[in-house]
């Protein structure tokens, strides 16, 4: 049942739409969405189903997105934002100041 719910979220672009409404950087959206789906897949399936049935899942996802994107202790921050800073359309690696091409 949880996979059907997550498939529906993906098919209807729910998480992407929430990211766009939160003004998430286009360079971060795909990675952030993947991180949210990992969290949802690891979460208690009964809780996901309950939230979905009560029509509260979107609010739950907004909370996850906010914590992941804005917290400097989140898995998303540790995997992506900690090491790179967007400067003039390119990412600068904070570890060694190398430029990584971003398209």
């Amino acid at each position: 049942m949880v996979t059907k719910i997550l498939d529906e979220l993906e098919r209807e672009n729910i998480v992407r739409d929430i990211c766009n409404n939160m003004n998430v950087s286009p360079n971060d959206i795909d990675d952030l969405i993947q991180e949210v789906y990992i969290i949802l897949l690891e979460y208690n399936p009964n809780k996901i189903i309950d939230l979905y049935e009560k029509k509260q899942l979107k609010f739950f996802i907004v909370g996850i997105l906010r914590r992941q994107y804005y917290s400097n202790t989140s898995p998303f921050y540790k995997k992506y934002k900690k090491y790179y800073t967007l400067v003039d359309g390119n990412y600068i690696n904070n570890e060694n100041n190398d430029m990584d091409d971003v398209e």
Side-chain angles (χ1 to χ4, degrees):
M1 176 74 173
V2 172
T3 55
K4 289 176 78 174
I5 293 169
L6 297 182
D7 285 342
E8 180 182 327
L9 291 174
E10 177 59 26
R11 196 171 44 255
E12 296 180 11
N13 288 317
I14 302 295
V15 179
R16 185 171 299 277
D17 290 345
I18 295 170
C19 287
N20 287 327
N21 289 336
M22 290 175 49
N23 294 319
V24 172
S25 167
N27 294 312
D28 292 332
I29 285 180
D30 289 334
D31 294 326
L32 183 58
I33 289 171
Q34 291 303 312
E35 203 61 45
V36 168
Y37 280 113
I38 289 169
I39 291 167
L40 291 172
L41 286 167
E42 292 175 344
Y43 207 77
N44 179 340
N46 294 327
K47 181 68 172 172
I48 297 294
I49 293 167
D50 186 50
L51 289 167
Y52 178 78
E53 289 173 348
K54 292 180 178 178
K55 302 198 183 304
Q56 297 174 344
L57 187 56
K58 288 182 187 179
F59 297 107
F60 183 71
I61 291 170
V62 168
I64 293 170
L65 284 166
R66 289 183 58 167
R67 285 187 296 277
Q68 291 301 309
Y69 193 63
Y70 295 112
S71 171
N72 62 359
T73 59
S74 72
F76 177 77
Y77 176 84
K78 291 176 183 176
K79 289 179 187 176
Y80 303 103
K81 289 179 81 172
K82 179 177 181 179
Y83 300 105
Y84 296 95
T85 303
L86 184 63
V87 177
D88 296 331
N90 294 308
Y91 278 109
I92 295 177
N93 185 324
N94 293 329
E95 291 285 307
N96 58 20
N97 290 330
D98 288 339
M99 296 295 287
D100 293 333
D101 291 333
V102 177
E103 300 196 30

